[in-house]
Amino acid sequence: MKKSLFAIACATLISASTAFAEGGMFEAWLPENMTADVVAAVKFTRMQFSNWKFEDGTSSYTWLFSYDADLKNHWKVVDWRNKLNLALGYTWIDGVGKRKSSDKIFYETMADFNASEKVKPYVGARFESQFTRGYNYSEDEDGNEIKTTVSHFMAPGYVTQMAGVGYFPNDNFSTRLAFANRMTISPDYNYADDPDTKRHEKFKDEPGLESITEFKYSFSEIVTFKSRLWAFVNFKGVDEIDGKWENLLALSLSPLFEFQVSYDIAYDKDLDKDSQHKNVILVGVTWRWF
């Protein structure tokens, strides 16, 4: 039975490797008017120590699932783009317990009207939230852990509508500027509260200006760099600006394995007065669809 399962697994990997080498498992199913970049990935790291006296060590494991899809439909009058980014990951450390390391729901849809080759008006919408609860951890006087919920699905959630103009000089670079309305949804935890009022608000509308700049470059067939800079400022003033700069360098070690280095910087005055930083280095199994 074990030999049969092993043979099936090997056959699956070989089949998948062949498909990935050709650009993606479902590449042949892609319509002629569509371009796509879709990758699913699973990363797992485990370290186990038992009576290990040669050097200090702490047992731990980390797993992360991610799904990144960027689909573009091309027509004579309009181009329709849909982006979906999902991520969920946890880390367990002996003596500390389980902690969430990644949690993201991001969906963006935009229609670019082909008024000219490089400058195009567009409309779009975006949804952002998370899958599971987030916690703050502290200890009581006896050293017992106190776990306080600070976020969950749709608390906060963000829905943004935008309309503006984009500049697209080539396939690797684009920049957009739009009038946008960013709505914060938060029935709990006060993310939508207005400090100027005494009541608890569950929704907050912020009209303002939004900028999105994206860059993608392939150094070779195996090395790719992606960068996305997003900024939003409401009409109250420049001190109300929010922003996020996401960077990812991916190196394909083989058709099934990928090495990634990411570095993100974020600022949201409603969440923290200081900037937030995230750096991740991962190696894991990737499944390229397109």
Side-chain angles (χ1 to χ4, degrees):
M1 181 65 179
K2 291 182 179 180
K3 291 182 179 180
S4 299
L5 291 175
F6 179 75
I8 293 173
C10 289
T12 302
L13 290 177
I14 293 172
S15 175
S17 298
T18 304
F20 296 162
E22 295 173 353
M25 178 166 282
F26 306 113
E27 192 78 23
W29 297 358
L30 201 64
E32 292 184 358
N33 70 322
M34 178 184 287
T35 57
D37 185 2
V38 181
V39 178
V42 177
K43 286 93 175 180
F44 181 80
T45 302
R46 181 179 183 271
M47 299 182 68
Q48 183 68 38
F49 299 89
S50 179
N51 195 31
W52 188 255
K53 299 179 180 179
F54 294 100
E55 58 189 47
D56 188 24
T58 301
S59 298
S60 64
Y61 70 79
T62 298
W63 65 264
L64 171 66
F65 163 78
S66 64
Y67 180 82
D68 296 322
D70 189 349
L71 307 175
K72 296 180 182 179
N73 289 86
H74 305 278
W75 292 286
K76 184 177 181 180
V77 177
V78 65
D79 290 344
W80 182 28
R81 182 183 185 188
N82 288 276
K83 290 188 66 177
L84 178 64
N85 301 135
L86 307 174
L88 183 63
Y90 279 90
T91 296
W92 176 85
I93 302 174
D94 188 22
V96 176
K98 186 171 67 173
R99 297 289 190 270
K100 186 166 63 173
S101 58
S102 185
D103 192 356
K104 180 180 182 180
I105 302 174
F106 177 97
Y107 173 67
E108 184 176 73
T109 180
M110 291 185 291
D112 304 322
F113 299 95
N114 298 321
S116 68
E117 184 177 351
K118 295 183 179 181
V119 179
K120 304 178 182 181
Y122 76 96
V123 295
R126 182 185 309 113
F127 170 74
E128 300 167 87
S129 190
Q130 63 191 51
F131 288 101
T132 63
R133 292 180 179 270
Y135 301 95
N136 272 342
Y137 297 89
S138 59
E139 293 183 352
D140 60 18
E141 296 179 354
D142 299 325
N144 299 315
E145 182 181 83
I146 301 175
K147 188 167 66 171
T148 306
T149 304
V150 296
S151 63
H152 58 66
F153 176 70
M154 294 303 293
Y158 301 97
V159 178
T160 306
Q161 308 89 30
M162 57 276 195
V165 177
Y167 176 59
F168 309 85
N170 52 58
D171 293 335
N172 294 328
F173 177 84
S174 68
T175 185
R176 304 170 183 262
L177 181 65
F179 292 100
N181 183 71
R182 182 171 170 83
M183 183 172 70
T184 303
I185 305 168
S186 183
D188 306 305
Y189 317 120
N190 302 323
Y191 292 109
D193 266 1
D194 186 343
D196 297 331
T197 65
K198 295 182 180 181
R199 64 181 183 275
H200 171 65
E201 287 101 354
K202 298 181 180 180
F203 303 94
K204 178 173 65 174
D205 278 310
E206 293 181 281
L209 291 174
E210 178 183 83
S211 171
I212 303 173
T213 300
E214 293 179 300
F215 175 73
K216 178 181 179 180
Y217 185 75
S218 296
F219 295 93
S220 66
E221 293 183 356
I222 62 172
V223 183
T224 302
F225 174 73
K226 297 179 181 180
S227 183
R228 184 179 191 270
L229 177 62
W230 168 83
F232 173 81
V233 56
N234 64 29
F235 290 137
K236 292 182 179 180
V238 294
D239 63 326
E240 299 290 335
I241 191 170
D242 297 333
K244 181 180 288 186
W245 187 22
E246 300 170 294
N247 299 277
L248 174 65
L249 179 67
L251 172 64
S252 297
L253 302 177
S254 73
L256 284 171
F257 291 91
E258 188 172 75
F259 172 75
Q260 293 183 348
V261 179
S262 67
Y263 182 65
D264 301 344
I265 304 173
Y267 177 77
D268 189 328
K269 187 178 180 180
D270 296 330
L271 300 180
D272 200 299
K273 293 183 179 180
D274 295 324
S275 60
Q276 304 169 62
H277 302 260
K278 180 180 179 181
N279 177 226
V280 180
I281 299 176
L282 289 170
V283 177
V285 177
T286 60
W287 182 18
R288 176 164 292 281
W289 293 18
F290 299 102

